Every structure is written in C-alpha cells, then in structure tokens.
Amino acid sequence: MLSVLDFVPLLLQGLGVTILVTVLGALLTLVVAFTAGLSGLSKRWYLRWPSSIFVEFFRGSGLLVQMFWFFYALPFLGIQLAPILAGVLALGLNEGAYAAEIVRGTIRSRAKGQTEAAIALGMSPGLRMRRILIPQSIPAMLPAFGNVMVDLLKNTSLVSLVTVSDLTWRAFTARTVTGQTVTLFLTILVIYYLLSLLIGWLTRWLEKRYALDRKSLAKARPLKNLVGGISA
Amino acid sequence: MTIWDTNFAISIIPILLEGFWLTIQITFFSFLISLVVGLLVAIIRFLKIPVVSLIFDFYVSFLRGTPLLVQAYVAYFVLPQIGLTFDALPTGIVVLGLNYSAYTAEVYRAGIEQLPKGQWEASRALSLPPMRTWVRIVVPQAVRPIIPVLGNYLIMMFKDSAILSSITIIELMGTALQIGSNFYRYLEPITIAGLLYLIISFPCSLLIRRLEQRFVPTH
C-alpha cells in the first residue's frame, strides 16, 4: 500500500496549481473590480448600467454555478475553455463583482472637500480620479480587499470540481489510491489555513506600509519640498 | 442539435424545482445552526475564559481560513473512518451551518461590543444574575443592529449550499449536473439553476439594503 509520503511531490504540484490559480484570479479580480467599480461611479448611464447589471448578476448567482456554466455550458455555445481558464474566469469575475462594490463604495465615501479642492485647482474629472481620489482610496480599500483575497484562495478549491488538478483535487485522488483519507485532508486543511494566514499578514503589512498617516507623511516630505512643489 | 432547446428547458423545470426546494431547506436549517452556534461561540469568546476562549478563537479563525469544500470532504469522508457515519444530507447541513457559525460569531461580537457600557453597569446595579443579563439585556440589543448583516450571510449560505452537491447531495446544483450528464445537455439546466439562485438572492439583497437603512444603530 502506498503511504502519504509518496504523494508529497504530487501535493506540492497541486499547491503550485492552487497558488497559480489564486494569483491569476487575483489579477483578474483587480482588473474587473476597478473597471466595474469606476464605471459604476460614472455619470454616463451607458457605463453605469452595464456595471451594476454585471455586479448584481455575478454576486447574485453563486460562484459554483458560474464555474460550471463556463466549463459545461459554454462549449454548447461553441466556446471551449481550458478547465483552468474556466476556473480563473469564474473566480475573477465573481470576486471582481464583490470587489467592484468595495472600489465604488470607498471612492464615493472620500471627503467631498477633496473633490472640491481638485475642481478648484482646475483638474479634469479624469485627473481628479487618477491623482486624488484613487490614491487616497487604496489604503482604505486594503482591509476589504484582503478579505476578498482570502475568499478567492478558499474558492480556488472549487476548480477541483472542473477537473483542474489543484491541491484539493490531488488530495481527493490520492485518497482513493492510499485510503489515507484523514492524513491527506487534514494536511491540505492546514496548508489552506496557512495560506489564508499569509494573505492576512500580507494585507496587514500593506495597510501599515500605506497608511494615510499624517505624521509619517510629514516625516517623509519636509515642508520645504511641499512649498517648493506648489510654487513650481 | 439546437443550441438552446426551449421544450427541453421547460420539461426539466419541475425536477429543478424539487432540487431548489431542497436547497432552501438546507439553507434554512444550516442558518439556524449558524445562528445558535455563532451566538454561543461569540459569548464564550467575549467572556474571555482562559484556554476555552482561545480554543474558540482558533475555531473561528480556522473555519474562516479553510475552504468549505474541503471541510465538507473532511466531514463526509473522514468521520466514517473514526466510526461516525451520517447521511450526506445531515452532514452537509451541519458543515454549512458550522462553517457560517464562524462568520456569524464575528457578527454577534460586533453587536455585543457596540453595546454601551452603561447597559452592563445598569444590569449589575440592579443585581441581575449573569444569565438574565445576557438573555434579557445584552442579546436583544446586540442582535437588532446586526440583522442586515446576518441577512447577507443568509444569502451567501443560500449560494454556497451549491458546494454541497460535491458530497452527493442532490440539491439544485446537483440536480442540474445530473440532468446535464443524463441528457448531455448542460446549457439549459445550469443556466436555469443560475437564474433560480438569482431570482431569490437579488430581491433579498435589495430588501436587506432597505433594512440596513432602517436598522442603523441608534446609539
């Protein structure tokens, strides 16, 4: 009988796939979140409506349904996606829809004086968003984004159901060969837990690093430079 | 072969609705479990009993840090190995309920912590026993402002119950997959299943947004 140790290389490969799916999913989530979130803030209805339809649709109908739809149903429309692509697409669009609400909500809740000051300085709407609102909002978004990323990591386990050989899939198949159900599943539970903790630590580090703390700003940029910057 | 077969789609709706009904039952019972267990966990953590509270801190962090799918596998495949055999359905309901109890425990905690200190002091001044303080004073006031958040978790549970199809529970998602593999037509069953999830969760989330405006804490 094979022991669990024989499966360590396979589990490690699975871990690699899980991390790959998480990273790709996270990138797609960020792109989707900012695209949909910023469109949701637009004054133009032809940007705002599609954005809110997209967000409500993807938040309302469950990730697993979406993943199965991309994997099983899309081929009937003539589009055959690689399993990993179907998984990443579903993950990115679903988590992106949640994150879009974070982007929209955070930017909208910036102090009104910031926008007014930017208008007074003659900034165009695009410049206002790029230079003033988005940079200020990112530190405020970080904790919520951290939660989304932990969710994303946990939800990557669902790609095993569309035949992607991630950590969960490896453990599941190794189980049928070794019968070492307890060890295998407890091992991957611990691995997932450690990865979640890692994302949590990373988020908290980023929060500290990019905190909008007036003291640290004053230290980083002496007043003289600030004055020079304005008159230049 | 047509891409979308309307007659086929209509013919499978009754079976899908059966699965849908099971999904709703699962969600209901899991939500009850998560409400009760979450409250107990929140109270134990709040009391800061040495060791015990730490164990429950870990309980919350571990359940929140690991995938529901793997938790379901553990419950379904590992428990029988140590001599505990349950049917898939009760196992799934308990797993989903316990998984979400970690989230509701955090929500209750927020509710308990926002309670003004004067409420505790007044209970003590009236020398209410601890049990009555919790049941009559703390919990009723802690729950009111968190009702919308709990509602959001209810909707999330409703959607996450689809994951239980992977431990052979034939709820809505499981039914859709079974129809798909029987007839080799996946487009209709999965699309209809998705729409059924949407039909419930979208109006509910609108309702919760209204509730949020009404239940904003008054203190």
Side-chain angles (χ1 to χ4, degrees):
Chain A
M1 193 163 121
L2 290 160
S3 79
V4 174
L5 281 181
D6 295 322
F7 284 90
V8 167
L10 282 177
L11 282 184
L12 282 179
Q13 274 179 27
L15 178 62
V17 173
T18 289
I19 292 174
L20 177 72
V21 172
T22 310
V23 171
L24 291 179
L27 290 178
L28 186 57
T29 300
L30 285 179
V31 173
V32 170
F34 275 92
T35 314
L38 292 178
S39 316
L41 286 167
S42 172
K43 281 199 187 78
R44 300 187 180 86
W45 64 269
Y46 55 85
L47 288 176
R48 208 172 56 236
W49 289 7
S51 154
S52 65
I53 291 172
F54 163 81
V55 169
E56 295 303 343
F57 191 84
F58 274 87
R59 289 202 317 174
S61 64
L63 172 61
L64 195 59
V65 182
Q66 289 153 21
M67 206 178 280
F68 282 147
W69 202 85
F70 284 125
F71 183 72
Y72 287 114
L74 215 48
F76 287 89
L77 301 175
I79 303 164
Q80 184 90 48
L81 296 176
I84 196 167
L85 210 61
V88 169
L89 199 61
L91 282 168
L93 291 176
N94 184 276
E95 301 291 348
Y98 283 97
E101 285 295 278
I102 299 171
V103 170
R104 198 174 66 95
T106 317
I107 292 180
R108 233 178 34 174
S109 65
R110 286 297 96 195
K112 211 174 157 201
Q114 298 290 335
T115 309
E116 288 166 353
I119 294 173
L121 290 171
M123 288 183 166
S124 68
L127 194 64
R128 227 147 62 200
M129 192 55 90
R130 210 168 65 239
R131 287 279 191 73
I132 308 295
L133 293 176
I134 292 179
Q136 286 185 7
S137 304
I138 285 175
M141 288 173 198
L142 275 174
F145 261 94
N147 285 339
V148 168
M149 291 305 158
V150 173
D151 267 344
L152 175 73
L153 165 76
K154 289 188 292 172
N155 286 334
T156 60
S157 64
L158 298 182
V159 298
S160 67
L161 300 175
V162 293
T163 72
V164 178
S165 50
D166 76 327
L167 196 56
T168 308
W169 191 85
R170 295 279 183 195
F172 194 79
T173 42
R175 182 189 79 86
T176 51
V177 182
T178 59
Q180 301 270 11
T181 313
V182 183
T183 328
L184 278 167
F185 279 140
L186 289 186
T187 312
I188 65 165
L189 266 184
V190 171
I191 295 177
Y192 276 115
Y193 183 51
L194 292 179
L195 288 176
S196 302
L197 289 182
L198 188 73
I199 294 179
W201 288 329
L202 207 66
T203 315
R204 248 160 288 150
W205 180 78
L206 284 173
E207 265 173 65
K208 242 187 225 162
R209 174 74 182 68
Y210 292 104
L212 275 187
D213 182 52
R214 284 177 192 281
K215 260 183 216 155
S216 67
L217 276 181
K219 234 179 262 169
R221 273 183 236 148
L223 195 61
K224 223 168 86 183
N225 292 0
L226 267 180
V227 174
I230 289 168
S231 62
Chain B
M1 200 157 115
T2 48
I3 292 175
W4 174 274
D5 186 342
T6 308
N7 287 332
F8 174 64
I10 292 171
S11 72
I12 58 174
I13 283 180
I15 319 174
L16 282 171
L17 284 179
E18 268 172 45
F20 186 53
W21 175 230
L22 185 59
T23 288
I24 289 176
Q25 286 172 302
I26 292 173
T27 310
F28 177 76
F29 287 113
S30 300
F31 191 55
L32 278 188
I33 293 177
S34 75
L35 284 183
V36 175
V37 178
L39 180 59
L40 294 178
V41 171
I43 292 175
I44 292 171
R45 290 177 74 196
F46 185 82
L47 292 176
K48 302 225 162 47
I49 309 164
V51 190
V52 181
S53 293
L54 272 181
I55 292 173
F56 280 97
D57 283 353
F58 179 72
Y59 170 90
V60 169
S61 133
F62 192 76
L63 283 184
R64 287 177 46 145
T66 52
L68 176 61
L69 177 65
V70 183
Q71 290 167 11
Y73 281 156
V74 169
Y76 187 63
F77 294 113
V78 174
L79 289 185
Q81 297 225 332
I82 54 173
L84 296 165
T85 312
F86 302 104
D87 283 340
L89 186 59
T91 310
I93 289 176
V94 171
V95 168
L96 188 62
L98 290 185
N99 177 276
Y100 270 89
S101 75
Y103 292 91
T104 51
E106 290 285 77
V107 178
Y108 281 123
R109 185 175 75 160
I112 295 171
E113 280 174 356
Q114 57 84 44
L115 199 67
K117 212 175 152 197
Q119 298 289 328
W120 291 102
E121 291 165 352
S123 309
R124 167 152 300 182
L126 294 169
S127 66
L128 286 182
M131 196 60 193
R132 284 211 26 215
T133 310
W134 278 101
V135 175
R136 304 293 293 274
I137 310 292
V138 179
V139 173
Q141 294 189 77
V143 166
R144 201 182 130 86
I146 59 169
I147 287 173
V149 191
L150 291 176
N152 268 326
Y153 279 112
L154 176 63
I155 299 179
M156 286 171 73
M157 281 177 100
F158 170 66
K159 288 178 287 172
D160 270 356
S161 66
I163 293 174
L164 299 181
S165 63
S166 61
I167 56 166
T168 72
I169 298 177
I170 308 298
E171 36 67 80
L172 179 54
M173 193 71 245
T175 312
L177 287 179
Q178 219 172 37
I179 294 171
S181 64
N182 284 349
F183 297 92
Y184 199 65
R185 291 199 67 93
Y186 281 101
L187 183 60
E188 295 89 349
I190 297 184
T191 308
I192 296 173
L195 290 177
L196 284 175
Y197 282 111
L198 199 62
I199 282 172
I200 294 288
S201 65
F202 180 56
C204 287
S205 70
L206 288 183
L207 187 77
I208 283 166
R209 242 172 270 171
R210 303 264 324 246
L211 280 182
E212 262 165 14
Q213 285 158 8
R214 181 183 290 194
F215 280 144
V216 175
T218 44
H219 326 287

